[in-house]
Amino acid sequence: GQAALLAQTLCRLNRERQGTESVIYQEALKRLKQQKDASAIVLAGEDWHQGVVGIVASRLSEEFCRPTFLICLDGDRGKASSRSYGGFNLFASLCELSPLLAGFGGHELAAGFTIRRENIGEFRRRICELTSAYAASGLAKPALEIDCEVSGRLLTEKNILGLSQLEPCGTGCPKPVLCLSEAVVEHVCAVGGGKHLRLKVRAKDGTALQAIYFSAGGLQDRLSPGDRVDLAFTPQINEFRGARAVQLNLADLRRVSPCEY
């Protein structure tokens, strides 16, 4: 009844949001080719949706390993959402550049601000100076931090459910990130309209595992059955049509070499 109608409405709105996100993301990728060597991503768009650019900024910062600032232009002003990378303090940087801003707020890892259109070029120049200095300072933490390496046989439903004792997870208590080294890729395919990557892998101890890597569908052509890969992931229990199975939610993967056995 009403619950089904509400669920349909939510699904429709989510599909619309995904479509808007995809358009902004693709446009941002095209523009990035013109500033690929910059130490920060600063892009502005005339028709970008304010409620979606934060999601795109987060995706770009992780994909390109740089702090990202996306500005939605409206007349002579723009509203921006930004996401950090490597520990760069967004709020402190906005405080330093506040003379260029009409207003700002947020924290170290995510922030927003308002800026006059005429100040965007100078803001881009200054923020790149700050991010370059931070990268050269040795304080940056660009590497993914792994909590521990595990064997495939440890990734049982019982053990993964036991990790729920660490919850609630969030800032200050992140989800555990585990590592499976030199797993062999048995099957790889893009799913979700080509956006995501699904893999079947076999650990060194022979354990067969399923993995999903969100927003990484473009990696399909770079991986082949027989490749050896190191996987960084958060384990989860995936439930689909009443069946439960262990699944690795990948944070990153590294191709080691083609398999020799």
Side-chain angles (χ1 to χ4, degrees):
Q2 186 178 7
L5 289 174
L6 290 173
Q8 290 174 3
T9 300
L10 285 174
C11 287
R12 177 179 57 80
L13 291 173
N14 191 47
R15 285 193 297 270
E16 291 177 2
R17 189 269 306 166
Q18 290 174 334
T20 302
E21 177 189 335
S22 179
V23 169
I24 297 173
Y25 174 74
Q26 293 301 328
E27 186 176 340
L29 288 182
K30 291 179 181 178
R31 297 192 190 185
L32 272 177
K33 294 178 181 178
Q34 301 173 358
Q35 50 173 284
K36 59 183 178 181
D37 295 327
S39 58
I41 296 172
V42 182
L43 300 171
E46 296 286 349
D47 301 313
W48 289 353
H49 193 291
Q50 181 64 37
V52 174
V53 290
I55 301 172
V56 180
S58 179
R59 184 175 172 183
L60 291 173
S61 69
E62 293 178 5
E63 185 172 346
F64 292 92
C65 304
R66 285 177 278 175
T68 299
F69 305 78
L70 298 186
I71 305 168
C72 305
L73 294 171
D74 182 13
D76 66 348
R77 290 189 175 223
K79 291 184 178 179
S81 290
S82 59
R83 296 294 184 271
S84 178
Y85 183 80
F88 181 74
N89 190 323
L90 290 177
F91 188 76
S93 69
L94 295 182
C95 286
E96 186 167 343
L97 301 185
S98 60
L100 295 172
L101 308 177
F104 65 94
H107 53 83
E108 292 185 13
L109 303 180
F113 59 89
T114 305
I115 187 169
R116 294 185 65 85
R117 183 188 292 258
E118 63 200 44
N119 289 335
I120 292 175
E122 179 64 8
F123 175 83
R124 181 183 291 111
R125 185 185 70 80
R126 294 282 304 280
I127 201 69
C128 283
E129 287 180 351
L130 293 177
T131 52
S132 292
Y134 180 75
S137 70
L139 298 173
K141 301 174 182 177
L144 178 65
E145 294 186 1
I146 305 296
D147 291 296
C148 69
E149 184 172 351
V150 296
S151 63
R153 65 172 60 94
L154 284 177
L155 296 171
T156 63
E157 185 175 334
K158 178 181 178 181
N159 287 343
I160 292 170
L161 290 174
L163 292 175
S164 64
Q165 296 179 43
L166 300 174
E167 296 178 352
C169 296
T171 302
C173 183
K175 290 182 179 180
V177 178
L178 309 179
C179 174
L180 196 66
S181 65
E182 297 190 16
V184 179
V185 175
E186 296 193 329
H187 180 71
V188 57
C189 65
V191 296
K195 292 197 301 183
H196 314 305
L197 195 68
R198 184 173 293 282
L199 302 97
K200 292 181 181 179
V201 301
R202 189 167 296 275
K204 286 191 292 186
D205 61 12
T207 305
L209 295 160
Q210 302 277 349
I212 184 76
Y213 195 176
F214 291 108
S215 301
L219 293 177
Q220 180 185 10
D221 296 335
R222 304 183 199 175
L223 291 171
S224 302
D227 285 350
R228 268 202 305 253
V229 290
D230 294 337
L231 303 174
F233 62 92
T234 295
Q236 59 184 195
I237 305 299
N238 185 45
E239 190 163 350
F240 183 67
R241 293 179 180 174
R244 292 163 62 90
V246 172
Q247 178 173 267
L248 314 184
N249 189 345
L250 298 185
D252 202 0
L253 64 80
R254 177 174 59 193
R255 187 173 180 271
V256 180
S257 67
C259 185
E260 297 173 355
Y261 50 86

